[in-house]
Structures are given as structure tokens and as C-alpha cells.
């Protein structure tokens, strides 16, 4: 089954304790990204990657790290979590580019993982 | 100004009603636009892509107005199952994806 998986799904931790949220996709997608979702703010992109060893900052990268050593995996690392990183996190993947083509009327859809609810105390 | 803005709603409509949402974007160079649907804090799922010439899929119609920098979603003959949050998504022309905060729709019997 084609899917994006995230682990853990739920995590409660304390300030300063390093953590990693894993993301894996089995669709051979080049593009992967991380988002956080907060009430009233919608999804905000943290980091994205267009291929192995290629990562770029999104809208809100501060306090996060990522790596893309393999095509299928894109872990999100919080070196020193703080309470303002309490949020719902989604990983997503797509074929490159995650765009729509107005002439051919084709598009590359982003597929999302089930989400990770993180609470930092 | 936010890069992608939506009316948060909520929109409460009866079954069978027609409802329309708008979404404005700030980057005139943006080329790709989508509507996603999200249920109860579950993962977003693609509803439809938005093309220059419009896009229709059953009861759903999406339009793009480049001059005014907005996209729209029209839902005809609303069903109870259409109740969800609808997210406007814009690719900022560099694969940096920006989401609107979402418009919440509740369809009532």
C-alpha cells in the first residue's frame, strides 16, 4: 500500500530533551516536506527536500533540523524542544515538482502522513 | 499581509445548498494552486488542482483569477459528508508550499 508513515504518532516530552520524528514513504517520491499545524495558523512548512542530500528552509525552520540521507526517509529533529514547538506535525511527499500544469492539466499531489501530536512541557 | 489568506468561517449551510470559498495569495509569480480537504485534524487530502481554465469535478468547481490573485472553490448540492476544513495551497514558485489557515464548512440536515 502506497503511504507516508510517521512515528511516533503521539509524544509528550520535556523542554530540552532531544527528539526525532521519523517520516518514511514507499512511493519513490523525490519531494518531501515537514509542516506544523497550529490553531488559526494552518499548516506552515518547516523544511522541504527535493532529493537526497538536498534540503531547504520553509516558512518556520527555527528550532528544527532535517536530513535526507535516503530517498524514502526524512526525519525531523528537535535538538532542544521548547513549549512553543507543541503542535501537530505532518510529513508529506510527492513526485517533483509539487505543481500543477495549466496546459496539460496534470499535477503532482502531495501525500500526507497521519500526523504526530507533540507536546513539550 | 499573509501570503495565503482564507476566510476561516465557519460556514454553516443546509444540505443541498451551494457554498463558495475564496482564497487570496500575495505572490504574483505563483503558478500552482490546489484545494485540500482536512477532516477533524486528520491529514489533509487533495481535493482538486486549480488551473487557469478552471477545473470541475462533479459538484466541485475551482477557479483561478490571476489578475486579482485569488482562487475559489464552489460546492454545489452540499452533502453532510462535505463537512470539513478546506485548505487553499499555493506553490510559491520555488517548491515552497504555503497553506491558508483553512475554511471550516459544516453542512447540516
Amino acid at each position: 500500500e502506497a503511504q507516508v508513515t510517521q512515528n511516533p504518532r503521539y509524544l509528550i516530552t520535556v523542554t530540552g530533551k532531544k527528539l526525532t520524528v521519523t517520516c518514511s514513504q514507499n512511493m519513490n517520491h523525490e519531494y518531501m516536506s515537514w509542516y506544523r499545524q497550529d490553531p488559526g495558523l494552518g499548516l506552515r512548512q518547516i523544511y522541504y527536500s527535493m532529493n537526497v542530500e538536498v534540503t531547504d528552509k520553509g516558512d518556520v525552520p527555527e528550532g528544527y533540523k532535517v536530513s535526507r540521507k535516503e530517498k524514502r526517509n526524512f526525519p525531523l529533529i528537535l535538538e532542544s524542544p521548547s513549549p512553543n514547538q507543541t503542535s501537530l506535525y505532518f510529513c508529506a511527499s510527492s513526485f517533483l515538482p509539487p505543481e500543477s500544469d495549466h496546459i496539460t492539466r496534470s499535477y503532482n499531489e502531495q501525500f500526507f502522513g497521519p500526523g504526530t501530536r507533540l507536546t513539550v512541557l | 499581509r499573509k501570503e495565503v489568506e482564507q476566510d476561516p468561517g465557519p460556514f454553516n449551510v443546509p444540505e443541498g445548498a451551494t457554498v463558495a470559498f475564496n482564497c487570496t495569495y500575495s505572490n504574483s509569480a505563483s503558478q500552482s494552486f490546489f484545494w485540500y480537504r482536512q477532516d477533524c485534524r486528520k491529514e489533509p487530502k487533495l481535493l482538486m488542482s486549480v488551473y487557469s481554465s478552471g477545473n470541475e469535478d462533479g459538484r466541485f468547481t475551482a477557479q483561478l483569477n490571476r489578475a486579482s490573485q485569488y482562487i475559489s472553490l464552489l460546492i454545489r448540492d452540499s452533502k453532510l459528508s462535505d463537512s470539513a476544513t478546506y485548505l487553499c495551497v499555493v506553490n510559491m514558485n520555488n517548491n515552497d508550499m504555503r497553506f491558508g489557515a483553512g475554511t471550516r464548512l459544516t453542512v447540516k440536515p
Side-chain angles (χ1 to χ4, degrees), chain A residues 31 35 37 40 42-43 45 48 50 59 88 90 97-102 105-107 109-110 112-113 117, chain B residues 31-34 36 38 42-44 46 49-55 66 91 94-99 101:
Chain A
Y31 185 88
Y35 300 89
Q37 186 172 31
L43 278 86
Q45 193 171 47
Y48 62 97
M50 290 196 274
D59 198 17
L88 177 60
F90 287 105
E99 296 176 348
S100 56
D101 187 308
H102 298 275
R105 297 177 69 85
S106 61
Y107 58 87
E109 175 182 355
Q110 280 200 89
F112 285 80
R117 190 170 292 278
Chain B
Q31 292 293 323
S32 295
F33 312 90
F34 303 90
Y36 275 71
Q38 186 176 28
K42 292 191 175 179
E43 71 271 24
L46 180 68
S49 182
V50 188
Y51 303 115
S52 299
S53 53
N55 193 7
R66 286 191 190 276
N91 184 327
N94 58 356
N95 298 321
D96 184 359
M97 307 296 285
R98 299 299 169 97
F99 283 68

Side-chain angles (χ1 to χ4, degrees), chain A:
Chain A
E1 181 191 354
Q3 59 184 349
V4 180
T5 56
Q6 293 179 228
N7 280 293
R9 294 288 313 279
Y10 303 90
L11 179 61
I12 300 174
T13 189
V14 295
T15 298
K17 187 176 181 182
K18 181 180 178 180
L19 66 92
T20 299
V21 184
T22 64
C23 172
S24 184
Q25 50 92 6
N26 61 0
M27 295 170 277
N28 203 33
H29 287 162
E30 299 93 1
Y31 185 88
M32 297 186 75
S33 61
W34 274 104
Y35 300 89
R36 61 176 289 174
Q37 186 172 31
D38 303 288
L41 296 176
L43 278 86
R44 291 179 293 167
Q45 193 171 47
I46 302 170
Y47 270 94
Y48 62 97
S49 169
M50 290 196 274
N51 218 323
V52 175
E53 302 292 359
V54 180
T55 62
D56 286 287
K57 294 178 180 179
D59 198 17
V60 289
E62 295 78 19
Y64 304 94
K65 287 186 179 179
V66 292
S67 69
R68 189 89 183 273
K69 294 186 171 62
E70 303 164 287
K71 197 172 186 179
R72 63 183 295 129
N73 296 322
F74 190 45
L76 179 70
I77 303 153
L78 284 73
E79 294 270 3
S80 183
S82 62
N84 64 12
Q85 293 178 298
T86 292
S87 188
L88 177 60
Y89 291 85
F90 287 105
C91 180
S93 73
S94 75
F95 288 115
L96 255 183
E99 296 176 348
S100 56
D101 187 308
H102 298 275
I103 297 174
T104 64
R105 297 177 69 85
S106 61
Y107 58 87
N108 285 326
E109 175 182 355
Q110 280 200 89
F111 292 87
F112 285 80
T116 294
R117 190 170 292 278
L118 172 66
T119 301
V120 183
L121 302 174

Side-chain angles (χ1 to χ4, degrees), chain B residues 6-104:
Chain B
Q6 294 181 249
D7 181 345
F11 285 66
N12 297 309
V13 303
E15 267 187 298
T18 295
V19 61
F21 311 135
N22 279 345
C23 166
T24 58
Y25 60 95
S26 61
N27 185 347
S28 59
S30 299
Q31 292 293 323
S32 295
F33 312 90
F34 303 90
W35 284 103
Y36 275 71
R37 171 190 167 131
Q38 186 176 28
D39 295 291
C40 289
R41 304 290 270 181
K42 292 191 175 179
E43 71 271 24
K45 293 185 179 178
L46 180 68
L47 178 66
M48 59 199 313
S49 182
V50 188
Y51 303 115
S52 299
S53 53
N55 193 7
E56 186 172 325
D57 183 3
R59 299 181 291 109
F60 298 84
T61 300
Q63 298 282 353
L64 167 63
N65 185 318
R66 286 191 190 276
S68 300
Q69 292 181 213
Y70 75 85
I71 66 173
S72 64
L73 177 67
L74 181 77
I75 305 175
R76 290 181 296 277
D77 188 23
S78 301
K79 311 290 184 192
L80 297 176
S81 58
D82 294 333
S83 296
T85 296
Y86 291 84
L87 306 172
C88 167
V89 185
V90 179
N91 184 327
M92 307 296 282
N93 210 35
N94 58 356
N95 298 321
D96 184 359
M97 307 296 285
R98 299 299 169 97
F99 283 68
T103 298
R104 185 164 181 175

